[in-house]
Structures are given as C-alpha cells and as structure tokens.
C-alpha cells in the first residue's frame, strides 16, 4: 500500500519507523513548517524530519494542508492511505479524498474521550485510572471517525505525561498496522470499525500557560495530578506570599504527594526544614523537593530553604488571587 505519513511531534516517530520497516511503501512525509525561535533559544527538535531524512523520504511542510497547492502535491503522491499522527493540522474533506482510502489517525486517548490536542495531559490531570490509544478512520470532523482499534493501559499513580506519552506511542504501532490490514481487507462499501458515541465526547484542548497556576483550594491529589499532567510544559507554579515583600513566583520542579492531612489552611507552609518544603492541601500535603524562584536557576529545596528562609505559617497563593 502506498502511504503518505503526516506527523510532526515525537508521538508519531514509532509509527513512521514501523511503516518504513513494513511491507508498505511510505512515499513521503508531510509535517509542520519549521518555526523561527526568539532570541538565542535553540530550534526545537524535529524528530519526524530526522527520521524521514535518514530514510531519504521527501518532506513537505505546507502552512496549510488544505490549500490548492498542498492538495496538488498530495495528489501527485497517488497514495492509497494517509496515516496521520501528532500532525497539528486538521484535514478537510477534499484533502482526505486525495488518498483512495482516506486517512487513519492514531490518537492518544480512548475516543470519544479527550478529543483534541492534549489527550495525554488531560487524562492525567483528571485523575483517570486508565487511558489508551485509538486508531480511527478519519472524517473531516475532529477525531470523529469510526474506531478501528482501541488499546487500553493503566496510568501509574506517579506517572507523568513525559513518561506516559512515549508508552502510548509504542502501543499505537501494532494498532496502526492492524488498522491498515483491516482497510486492505475491506470491500470499500461496508463500514469498518465502531462508530463513536457522541454522548461520551469530552475535550482535550491545547495547553495554556495559565494552566500551570496552582489553585490551593483543590485537593492534594488534584494538585499532584496537575503537576504530573503538565510536564514538561507548562509545568506548575505558585506565588509565595511574604511578609513585607512582594509575592515571589515559584516554579515547582519536583514534588511528591503525602496523603497525611495537615491541620492548616490549604497553601500554608507546614514546615521548611532540611531538604523538604511541605505545603498543606485538602486531604494531604505537597512535598517540594526542587523549585525555581523567578529569574533564578532550579534549586534543591534545601538550598532554597537556606537562602530564602521560608517560615511555617506563610502562604502559597494562586496568581489569580494576587
């Protein structure tokens, strides 16, 4: 089968590598354009481009896949199937029609739950005990096509998005290959896969910087889930309310959950001794091992305690309350 791969992020890399190693013919890669960086920041990694270049695949990066020019390039590939994963663009009906069998999409959730750009993050944030991957036969409606394959997996109690996402990417490889085989064996008339139940749809919107702001009125478990979900970006931050000084913004770089409740208002520093900074939250405590004051480097809690001398009874507050 002649396949056009469409992907940008690292979640798509195992699928591309598996397709190249398969009996199918991957004819090219469509990916997002390279974006300029500000100042002296290094260019972000482009793992999909790297894999394509290593294997001599042509690379196309239109600003929009749905322009006449981009569709003409796609038409020239004479593809049987589009395989889409972590691409970052939504294909129109006309673009999907440029391949004989349309497209399949590998999505990082159990659809129809968590349609959208950040399914892995929101599953962890909401405390879901399990997640998975879904391969759908694509329609112009976002993540709305029939499900060809679903694979489920538990989410570990301390697993972060950084750890979960590559696990899901690997789970998706055999599911993609099996889905392609299902379409190859179809008669072209009968619906392949299971339709999604629209009553079960939930959204996984793109992450924003403000998602990192910690609301200390939430439970300790919810705060810990937020930290796990938003690694490496946007992370988690709070503000230290200091007597006689302006609040200090702190990025929490490493934390753990202590289920023992503390007799203090949420957000209150319980103790700041040794190598741990303990913060009260509903139903438990947040223990900070590493943090980063605004404008400074990441430091161990012990170093922060020695240098800044936080005191028990002082408060951490959400930016929205300042």
């Amino acid at each position: 089968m002649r396949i056009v791969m469409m992907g940008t992020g690292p979640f798509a890399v195992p699928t591309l590598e598996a397709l190249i190693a398969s009996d199918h013919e991957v004819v090219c890669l469509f990916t997002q354009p390279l974006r300029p960086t500000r100042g002296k920041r290094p260019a972000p990694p482009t793992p999909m481009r790297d894999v394509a270049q290593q294997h001599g695949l042509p690379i196309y990066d239109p600003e929009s896949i749905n322009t006449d020019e981009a569709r003409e390039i796609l038409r020239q590939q004479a593809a049987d199937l589009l395989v889409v994963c972590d691409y970052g663009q939504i294909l129109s009906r006309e673009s999907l029609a440029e391949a004989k069998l349309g497209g399949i999409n590998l999505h990082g959730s159990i659809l129809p739950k968590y349609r959208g750009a950040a399914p892995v993050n929101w599953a962890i944030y909401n405390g879901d005990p399990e997640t998975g991957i879904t391969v759908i036969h694509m329609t112009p409606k976002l993540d709305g096509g029939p499900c060809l394959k679903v694979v489920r997996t538990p989410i570990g109690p301390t697993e972060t998005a950084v750890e979960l996402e590559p696990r899901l990417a690997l789970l998706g490889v055999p599911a993609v290959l099996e889905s392609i085989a299902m379409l190859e064996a179809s008669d072209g008339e009968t619906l392949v896969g299971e339709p999604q139940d629209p009553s079960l749809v939930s959204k996984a919107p793109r992450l924003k910087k403000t998602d990192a702001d910690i609301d200390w009125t939430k439970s300790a478990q919810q705060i810990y889930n937020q930290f796990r979900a938003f690694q490496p970006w946007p992370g988690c931050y709070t503000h230290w309310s200091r007597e006689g000084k302006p609040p200090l913004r702190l990025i929490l770089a490493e934390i753990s959950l202590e289920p023992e409740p503390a007799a203090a208002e949420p957000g209150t520093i319980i103790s700041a001794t040794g190598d741990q900074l303990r913060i009260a939250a509903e139903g438990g405590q947040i223990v900070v091992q590493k943090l980063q004051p605004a404008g400074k480097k990441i430091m161990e809690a012990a170093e922060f305690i020695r240098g800044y001398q936080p005191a028990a009874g002082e408060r951490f507050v959400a930016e929205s309350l300042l």
Side-chain angles (χ1 to χ4, degrees), residues 91-154:
L91 278 71
S92 67
R93 184 184 303 274
E94 293 77 14
S95 297
L96 287 169
E98 299 298 346
K100 292 179 182 177
L101 296 173
I104 62 172
N105 173 242
L106 172 61
H107 188 73
S109 77
I110 302 170
L111 290 171
K113 195 171 187 180
Y114 300 125
R115 291 183 183 177
V120 177
N121 308 89
W122 291 111
I124 295 175
Y125 178 87
N126 289 325
D128 289 6
E130 72 168 5
T131 187
I133 59 89
T134 305
V135 181
I136 63 170
H137 199 183
M138 295 174 68
T139 71
K141 188 174 181 180
L142 177 63
D143 301 334
C147 300
L148 301 174
K149 296 292 294 186
V150 176
V151 182
R152 298 173 181 268
T153 185

Side-chain angles (χ1 to χ4, degrees), residues 101 183 185-192:
L101 296 173
L183 293 178
S186 70
D187 59 14
E189 300 292 336
T190 307
L191 177 69
V192 181

Side-chain angles (χ1 to χ4, degrees), residues 1-3 15-27 80 177 180-181 184:
M1 188 175 284
R2 286 178 62 85
I3 291 175
T15 294
L16 175 57
E17 291 176 332
L19 289 172
I20 291 172
S22 74
D23 293 333
H24 301 292
E25 180 186 3
V26 182
V27 295
D80 296 306
L177 296 176
I180 294 173
E184 279 186 303

Side-chain angles (χ1 to χ4, degrees), residues 267-304:
T268 302
I269 298 176
I270 304 166
S271 65
T273 57
D275 60 355
Q276 292 182 347
L277 184 64
R278 290 179 171 266
I279 315 300
E282 182 184 343
Q285 304 170 37
I286 297 299
V287 184
V288 181
Q289 288 88 21
K290 293 182 182 180
L291 67 169
Q292 182 179 10
K296 304 293 183 180
K297 63 178 180 64
I298 295 176
M299 58 182 65
E300 301 283 344
E303 181 184 359
F304 175 79

